[in-house]
Amino acid sequence: MRLSLTALCLTSMAAAIPATAAEIDARPPDKLSVSGNVSNFRNSDADGGGGALSYLHYLTPNALVGGGVDHTFVEDTELTYGSLRGAWGRGEPSSRFTFLAEAYYGEGDDVGRKFDYRVGVLGISQALTSKFSVQLETRQFEIDTTDGNLPELGLTYVWTPRFVTNVSYAKSVSGNLGTELTSARADYYGKRVNLLLGGSTGTANPAVLVPLPGVVLPPTHSTQGFVGIGRTFKRGEFQLLGDYLKVSDSEKITVTLTFTAFLGSRGR
């Protein structure tokens, strides 16, 4: 499961504003997440699905490490990959700096034809005020016959402690990614439920948006939208996410259910 710099900043900035000094000093609980998804390609009879398991551990209040494994399939084609990630930050909320690194490595089977799956991520975030931050991220893709680098610039604004928005722009600079995407996302952290809404539009290689084993398409116009709802409890949280992706004449709908358990009593 991807720990994006945008998502990390959205969560940390929204949580930081109302926090007391004692809460900032305490390590948050570790997180163990389990998810499953089902997918349908609307213009064909192909169906797919998958599952993921990930774990995040806070070494200090400012540093975390984690890992996970993902498996996805479409008909008789499948892809399995592992991931390692880490993040480190420092400073007060109004001037906080965060560094993020991720690595994904695995192998797919396209009806007997093996292919590699490798993605590396480096990102930084700098808070300019207690409500506004800038993120810069670069992703190196090596997926089957697709390769290249995709830098992304993002802006995050905390309107209230419960409502956060992000906009970003990404354009590939090497390889055959042929990608140029503009994205937006809004998160609402309610007393009873959490909501998220977002999407992207532009030109993209399908491998940049979501793993599609066995599906090789040239870069073309794409549209993606997603909406999610979650509920947080004392010892964990649930999230239900619906995602719509259209690349050229191909349309894919994915529904994902995730449960995250909070391990330990730190930060409470």
Side-chain angles (χ1 to χ4, degrees), residues 90-139:
R90 63 177 298 175
E92 298 298 322
S94 61
S95 60
R96 187 168 183 81
F97 173 85
T98 303
F99 173 79
L100 170 73
E102 300 177 359
Y104 301 82
Y105 184 85
E107 183 178 80
D109 187 331
D110 180 14
V111 195
R113 182 183 68 87
K114 303 295 184 181
F115 64 90
D116 292 330
Y117 182 90
R118 295 191 291 266
V119 180
V121 184
L122 292 175
I124 58 174
S125 172
Q126 177 65 60
L128 302 181
T129 71
S130 61
K131 293 187 175 184
F132 180 68
S133 70
V134 178
Q135 301 88 44
L136 180 62
E137 182 178 282
T138 181
R139 290 180 168 264

Side-chain angles (χ1 to χ4, degrees), residues 11 21 23 29 40 82 88 93 142 162 170 200 204 235 241 251 260 265:
T11 303
E23 290 172 333
N40 175 260
W88 174 80
E142 295 181 12
R162 297 190 180 277
S200 66
R235 303 302 302 173
L241 180 69
E251 295 180 87
T260 300
S265 58

Side-chain angles (χ1 to χ4, degrees), residues 3 24 28 31 58 81 98 104 158 198 248 258:
L3 177 67
I24 294 175
K31 296 181 179 181
Y58 284 83
Y81 59 91
T98 303
Y104 301 82
V158 180
S248 187
T258 302

Side-chain angles (χ1 to χ4, degrees), residues 46-192:
D47 292 309
L53 176 69
S54 67
Y55 179 73
L56 289 177
H57 171 66
Y58 284 83
L59 300 171
T60 72
N62 296 315
L64 64 85
V65 295
V69 60
D70 287 64
H71 177 77
T72 184
F73 68 90
V74 176
E75 296 297 310
D76 296 327
T77 303
E78 60 184 20
L79 168 66
T80 301
Y81 59 91
S83 61
L84 294 174
R85 55 185 62 89
W88 174 80
R90 63 177 298 175
E92 298 298 322
S94 61
S95 60
R96 187 168 183 81
F97 173 85
T98 303
F99 173 79
L100 170 73
E102 300 177 359
Y104 301 82
Y105 184 85
E107 183 178 80
D109 187 331
D110 180 14
V111 195
R113 182 183 68 87
K114 303 295 184 181
F115 64 90
D116 292 330
Y117 182 90
R118 295 191 291 266
V119 180
V121 184
L122 292 175
I124 58 174
S125 172
Q126 177 65 60
L128 302 181
T129 71
S130 61
K131 293 187 175 184
F132 180 68
S133 70
V134 178
Q135 301 88 44
L136 180 62
E137 182 178 282
T138 181
R139 290 180 168 264
Q140 179 66 36
F141 292 86
E142 295 181 12
I143 304 174
D144 198 5
T145 59
T146 299
D147 70 273
N149 188 264
L150 182 66
E152 180 177 347
L153 175 66
L155 305 174
T156 297
Y157 192 81
V158 180
W159 299 90
T160 74
R162 297 190 180 277
F163 183 60
V164 186
T165 58
N166 172 270
V167 294
S168 62
Y169 173 76
K171 184 175 182 179
S172 57
V173 295
S174 65
N176 61 353
L177 294 181
T179 296
E180 184 174 8
L181 287 172
T182 301
S183 306
R185 170 174 170 164
D187 286 67
Y188 172 75
Y189 304 92
K191 293 182 178 181
R192 295 185 180 274

Side-chain angles (χ1 to χ4, degrees), residues 6-25:
T6 297
L8 181 66
C9 291
L10 288 172
T11 303
S12 62
M13 289 184 71
I17 289 179
T20 66
E23 290 172 333
I24 294 175
D25 290 341

